[in-house]
Amino acid sequence: MQSAKQWIQPRHRVVYTLLRPFLRPYVCWRYGIREERFREEGNRPYLIVMNHQTGFDQFFVAMAFRQPIYFLATEDIFSMGWVSKLIRWLVAPIPIRKQTTDIQAVKNCIKVAREGGTICLAPEGNRTFHGRTVYMNPSIASLTKKLGLPLAIFRIEGGYGVQPRWSDVVRKGKMRAYVSRVIELEEYKDMSNTELFALIEKELSVDEVCVTGQFRHKKNAEFLERAMYVCPWCGLSTFESHDDIIRCTKCGREIRHLPTKELEGIGFDFPHRFVADWYEWQQNYINHTDLTALTETPVYRETVRLSRVHPYKYKELLKKEATVCLYGDRITVDDREFPFDSVGAVVVLGKNKVNIYDGNEILQLKGHKRFNALKYVNFFHRYKNRKAGEKNGQFLGL
């Protein structure tokens, strides 16, 4: 961790200056994005908050601003050995622990702000799986006030259509990324944290659950099973996808994902028009399921790559093929058991990784390409909600 020495180094500006001319044409071609530079940037730092839709969102922000930007990034980025060291040397992102409020991350943000740096973060902390802006941490309001910087709202629109989180391909379509508004310190300093958070939430809210043009690729449904695991007819299930079709392995029903982002049943009427409609139904299904009745036999049994994460250092491979079982009240990995009562957190990273925070140990499960990490997080939060007396608690981790 950087502390006594300056966080901001002259080389960061050099890196951004050298990379932008090469990055800009590639990103515009690859993502079909309409580039909109922030013309009113001036020579002052900002706190940039963005909604999170694609794996390239940080590059869209970097293209819009002239100055170096210090992004908050999860500890997974900092646990890749020499690669992480190189990233730190080049652009010095600010580490943050995904599963909790990270005091050290706040201190580092204050340090960067005092040194005159621009900071960027996604209050969601997660990319959307379905096209709507997901849960935001209300602590963004108190952080904004602590930093006292002009607040730049950076909106990304069309990103879900171009590259859904669950997909490996980039579709041909159009998207937009731009600074929609700057909220000056004088505007928000007298607001309560609740009022400021409501404003940020409103300004960043993007709803892609509608027809907004065509997003074309022959593999439009490929790996949708990373997000979906409940069938409207079979309940808890598994799915397989190929090209633009996803199929329930229990009942055999097939659903086509259209270029308009709409869904249609093949030979039957599918009850959900968009992935978000199906996703919300799935969340509601889990929120009304008594998981304590699912503790005798595994609900899911899968093979994963098991690693121990040494935060901000490296990942230690423990086993190339470990058997993970998901129950209504616990996760087991081979002969180890992780009861939800004692586990600190279960989070999903990227497309098919799960981190289990057990005391001071962090274990990472990396599944095969069709692995659904989301269900582990949903089960964990559903169990915790019921234990806390919130029998129909809505928040399931994302």
Side-chain angles (χ1 to χ4, degrees), residues 9-21:
Q9 300 294 328
R11 66 174 176 270
H12 301 154
R13 185 173 293 275
V14 175
V15 169
Y16 273 88
T17 301
L18 292 177
L19 288 181
R20 277 195 186 99

Side-chain angles (χ1 to χ4, degrees), residues 109 167 201 225 312 318:
C109 286
S167 176
E201 195 173 35
E225 60 267 46
Y312 312 123
L318 300 180

Side-chain angles (χ1 to χ4, degrees), residues 195-211:
E195 290 171 331
L196 179 55
F197 175 68
L199 176 60
I200 293 171
E201 195 173 35
K202 177 184 176 183
E203 292 291 333
L204 285 181
S205 180
V206 173
D207 191 344
E208 302 279 321
V209 187
C210 55
V211 177

Side-chain angles (χ1 to χ4, degrees), residues 112-131:
V112 172
R114 287 176 177 171
E115 292 177 14
T118 286
I119 299 164
C120 181
L121 60 89
E124 293 167 275
N126 271 291
R127 283 175 61 189
T128 175
F129 270 103
H130 49 72

